[in-house]
Every structure is written in C-alpha cells, then in structure tokens.
Amino acid sequence: MVRVLLDRRRVCRGRSIRGGYVAGVTSITGTAGTCCRVQRLVLPGGGGHTWTVLGSDHRPVVPAEEYLEYLRAQQVSPNTVKSYARALALWWQFLELFGLVWDAVTLENFGAFLTWLRTGDEPEVVSIERRGARFAESTISARLGAVLSCYDFHVLNGVDMGRDLYRITHRGGGRYKPLLEHVARRKGRREAVIRVRRPGRAAPPILTPEQIERVCEACASWDPDTRQWRGSVRNRLLWMLLAETGVRLGEALGLQHRDWHTGCGDTPFIEVVDRDHAHGVRAKSGYRRVYVSDQLDRLYGEYVWQLCEAGADLATDDFDGTCVFVNLDREPRFAPWRPESVYDLVDRLRRQLSGQLPQAWSPHWMRHSHATALLLSGVPVHVVSRRLGHVDVQTTLNTYAHVTEDAEMRAVADWKAFTAGWRVGAHCAERIGSGS
C-alpha cells in the first residue's frame, strides 16, 4: 500500500511523506463542511505517480486506498487509478454528507447516491426547480461502476456487506452471445441490481481524408522548389501516424526509436510496447505490431535526420531508447513530449483551421477516422480490431456498428483511395492465421 499520513500543514506545503511526495490536490467539497480530495502522489525513485483519496480529516480513506492499491498491484493505468479515485472521493463525500457508514449501506443508499450525483441536493432538501444534471449519465454510470467494484473487492476479502447489490439471473440479454453462453445460463449470471440506463451510443466523430490532410499541411508542407519541408515535420509525423495506424495518443508518445522498424526492402512497421513513460502515458492494450506505409516511413526518416542535425543523437548514450516525439522548441530539449503540449498544438490548429474542421476535434478523432476508413474500404472487422488493439472484437463491432450500414458516409469520400497505401489486410491476416 502507498502509506501516507497527511495533516493540513503537510498537504498545503507538499512535503515528502513516508516515501511519497504530495502534489496537486483535486477537492470535492460539500457546503456542509465535508471535504474529500483526490490526492496525487509522486512516487520516489522516478517511479511515476499515483492517486489516493483523502477524507475530511486530511488522511487517506483506508477502504478506498486498499482498493486503489489492489488496482496498482494489477498494474492498471495511472489514469484508471485516477478515475476510480475520483469516483470513490464522490462516494465518501456522499457518505459523510448523509451520515452513513461505508460498510453498512443499503440498496436505498445507492439509489440516493445516484440522485445526489445528478442534483447535488443535501440531506432533507428536495429541489422543485427544473435544472440540468451535474454529470452526464455515462459519467454517473462509470462512477457507480467504480464504487461497486470497490465493494466487490472488499466482499471477496471477507467484509460482510454489499452482497445484496447483485442477483443471479439465468436469462440472456442482447443479440450477441459469447462463447460457452449455454454453460453460463445453467449456472446463472451475476448482475448488478442497481444500474444506470446509459443513452444509446452515438456514432464516433471522424475527420474526412481532406480534413486530415489540412491538419497535416498546416503543420508541414513539401516545397517542390527547394525540395525541403517547411514547418514542423515532427507535428506532421504525429498526425499522419495517428491517422494511418489508429494508435492512441499515449501509445504514439510512448514510441521509442527502437520500436520503429524501417522498411530496408521489407515492410516497415512499428511496435506498440507497454512500458513506463516520464509523463505517465502507456500502451493501454499491451504489445502489438502495426504495419505502416512507405510514405509514413520516409517521413519518419526525414524527422530522424532533422533530429540528428539538431544534436539529439549526441544528447544521449542510447538514441534508440529515446522517445520518437520530443521537445524541440522548449526546455528540457529532447525530453519526451507531454500530452499537454500536444493539446496546446491542437488549440493552435483549431484557431488556424477555424471553419475548415469541426471545432471540437481532438487527437482521438484520428483513431476513429482510421477505423472508419478501413471498414468502409472493406477490411474485415477482426483485422481492424487487432490493428486498434481491442481485446475483444465485440468492442469494435459495438463502437463502429453504424459504419458499414451508412451509405451516406461511404459516399463522403473515396475511402479506398485514402487507405490505398496502408499496409493492413494481408499482413495482419497472416499474423492472425499463424496465431502470433
């Protein structure tokens, strides 16, 4: 367990506390004086950071911390720990505000929790004013799921509470039936009693090929007269990589030069590897190999040449072990690029391309555009799923079910021409068939 003992003075000054350094605090405060905090902890020895939950006494909430430590032992993403910590901070604020004990809650209390998340009303207060919910229903569902998961953990560890939160059902729901569904029906399926009805999944937002090209051209363009690139090749490489491979932003920022295998007469590819990163980004789906086009590989070669001209190869003893995307214009130079810096770039591009792209576009839209382009080009869904790094092909089907049925979307652009240079189908199908 990350052992921390906090008081008000230490929290405010951010001193070193029993092996962890206290950093930024996210407070969730009620008007009745209760205060639960999501506390960021910087681990010693360059071990990254994690999150915990502080109660109104400025000490870690022990049941929440025990569960978060379990998540850390499972090596879940720090962002996942942060998300669960936020949910548990809301739950313990609710318990304090309504005078409840965490291991003596009832089903009715969970229903009141959902109402409180939507309205924020305190005990004995019922608002008759029509107003918007504090959180979206999808967010409320995620928060409830995190709290129930915490209670599952404690039930398995012998704490006698929360057993009435689930029931055993013998009916199957939905059209999709997983493997060995007939066995599950005999034994019954564990189902949460209290659930949030989530709205239907909206179609994931995408950019058209023309819009993606505008983003790339806004970063760097080829001057045929001087036969040189004008602008930032690094920035263009990032957007082309996201659009052509469908990797997540964190996976792209975590790429090291040793992960990029240039063609040299063979098919170029990148390796997505789960490893520690200076800024906490990581490969969400573990290892996978993604083939890339010769065009993208050539742009990477140009970028490496520029890095070496700038002295990046002399700034380290192991250039292959450094990140592909690094700082070029700010200190520390050649340090791994921060996700926050990428979003600063997004803000600049949004202003520069105002009226030409949807105002709310983000790096993750490139991933959705990649999957959509492949499916509309006729690539089998299991190949797309493997390329995206989805654990289950059903995730791909659920997210992009609308794509192949949308004739208007198919007519928006020549998606086959857009994906013509991508190395996708044959190589991935070969790997799947060989069991690699």
Side-chain angles (χ1 to χ4, degrees), residues 205 207 211 214-216 218-219 235 239 249 339-366:
L207 297 175
Q211 291 171 332
R214 287 173 189 165
V215 173
C216 295
C219 294
N235 296 355
W239 300 122
L249 176 61
E340 297 84 356
S341 299
V342 176
Y343 280 96
D344 289 340
L345 170 63
V346 171
D347 290 337
R348 295 197 300 271
L349 290 172
R350 283 172 177 169
R351 293 191 295 269
Q352 183 179 345
L353 301 174
S354 177
Q356 302 179 52
L357 276 76
Q359 189 60 32
W361 74 273
S362 71
H364 205 70
W365 286 34
M366 296 290 182

Side-chain angles (χ1 to χ4, degrees), residues 266-339:
D266 201 353
T267 305
F269 64 90
I270 62 172
E271 293 181 296
V272 179
V273 182
D274 186 9
R275 61 166 68 94
D276 292 333
H277 187 274
H279 305 310
V281 299
R282 58 186 296 175
K284 183 177 179 180
S285 304
Y287 174 87
R288 71 184 185 276
R289 177 182 295 187
V290 183
Y291 292 91
V292 300
S293 67
D294 294 331
Q295 180 186 10
L296 183 61
D297 192 38
R298 286 194 297 269
L299 186 64
Y300 168 73
E302 173 66 26
Y303 172 61
V304 171
W305 181 266
Q306 292 187 5
L307 282 179
C308 293
E309 283 190 327
D313 57 329
L314 302 177
T316 177
D317 295 331
D318 181 18
F319 182 72
D320 282 346
T322 60
C323 288
V324 171
F325 297 100
V326 295
N327 290 337
L328 297 178
D329 305 319
R330 64 176 63 179
E331 297 296 334
R333 203 174 186 205
F334 306 131
W337 209 11
R338 289 179 174 272

Side-chain angles (χ1 to χ4, degrees), residues 196-213:
V196 177
R197 290 189 177 275
R198 306 180 71 169
R201 185 188 295 268
I206 66 169
L207 297 175
T208 64
E210 292 78 8
Q211 291 171 332
I212 294 174
E213 182 61 23

Side-chain angles (χ1 to χ4, degrees), residues 111-407:
F113 176 59
L114 296 180
T115 301
W116 177 76
L117 286 178
R118 294 185 177 104
T119 66
D121 290 339
E122 297 180 9
E124 301 180 0
V125 174
V126 179
S127 175
I128 60 174
E129 178 185 1
R130 188 177 182 84
R131 52 188 171 172
R134 292 198 299 164
F135 301 101
E137 288 299 296
S138 58
T139 302
I140 293 175
S141 178
R143 298 290 183 255
L144 176 64
V147 173
L148 291 177
S149 182
C150 178
Y151 274 78
D152 285 344
F153 166 78
H154 286 288
V155 167
L156 293 174
N157 280 278
V159 180
D160 188 18
M161 52 73 186
R163 299 182 186 278
D164 295 333
L165 300 178
Y166 293 89
R167 62 188 173 191
I168 302 298
T169 63
H170 295 271
R171 59 180 177 82
R175 291 178 295 176
Y176 171 71
K177 301 294 187 244
L179 186 66
L180 302 181
E181 167 69 11
H182 57 290
V183 176
R185 282 207 180 181
R186 283 196 225 112
K187 296 183 177 180
R189 184 180 287 102
R190 195 163 173 262
E191 185 179 89
V193 174
I194 183 168
R195 291 180 295 175
V196 177
R197 290 189 177 275
R198 306 180 71 169
R201 185 188 295 268
I206 66 169
L207 297 175
T208 64
E210 292 78 8
Q211 291 171 332
I212 294 174
E213 182 61 23
R214 287 173 189 165
V215 173
C216 295
E217 286 291 309
C219 294
S221 59
W222 176 254
D223 188 343
D225 297 329
T226 61
R227 300 188 63 81
Q228 291 182 342
W229 286 98
R230 292 186 301 178
S232 174
V233 173
R234 177 201 62 181
N235 296 355
R236 182 184 178 97
L237 178 65
L238 175 66
W239 300 122
M240 286 186 63
L241 177 68
L242 295 179
E244 183 178 315
T245 65
V247 297
R248 303 172 180 89
L249 176 61
E251 294 171 338
L253 295 182
L255 279 179
Q256 297 181 358
H257 289 286
R258 68 180 59 160
D259 302 326
W260 197 299
H261 301 263
T262 58
C264 299
D266 201 353
T267 305
F269 64 90
I270 62 172
E271 293 181 296
V272 179
V273 182
D274 186 9
R275 61 166 68 94
D276 292 333
H277 187 274
H279 305 310
V281 299
R282 58 186 296 175
K284 183 177 179 180
S285 304
Y287 174 87
R288 71 184 185 276
R289 177 182 295 187
V290 183
Y291 292 91
V292 300
S293 67
D294 294 331
Q295 180 186 10
L296 183 61
D297 192 38
R298 286 194 297 269
L299 186 64
Y300 168 73
E302 173 66 26
Y303 172 61
V304 171
W305 181 266
Q306 292 187 5
L307 282 179
C308 293
E309 283 190 327
D313 57 329
L314 302 177
T316 177
D317 295 331
D318 181 18
F319 182 72
D320 282 346
T322 60
C323 288
V324 171
F325 297 100
V326 295
N327 290 337
L328 297 178
D329 305 319
R330 64 176 63 179
E331 297 296 334
R333 203 174 186 205
F334 306 131
W337 209 11
R338 289 179 174 272
E340 297 84 356
S341 299
V342 176
Y343 280 96
D344 289 340
L345 170 63
V346 171
D347 290 337
R348 295 197 300 271
L349 290 172
R350 283 172 177 169
R351 293 191 295 269
Q352 183 179 345
L353 301 174
S354 177
Q356 302 179 52
L357 276 76
Q359 189 60 32
W361 74 273
S362 71
H364 205 70
W365 286 34
M366 296 290 182
R367 179 173 170 84
H368 292 319
S369 302
H370 176 80
T372 299
L374 291 182
L375 292 172
L376 290 178
S377 299
V379 177
V381 66
H382 67 277
V383 175
V384 178
S385 180
R386 176 66 68 92
R387 191 169 174 88
L388 294 177
H390 287 161
V391 177
D392 190 341
V393 69
Q394 188 64 32
T395 302
T396 313
L397 290 170
N398 290 341
T399 306
Y400 303 103
H402 68 288
V403 171
T404 55
E405 301 173 359
D406 195 332

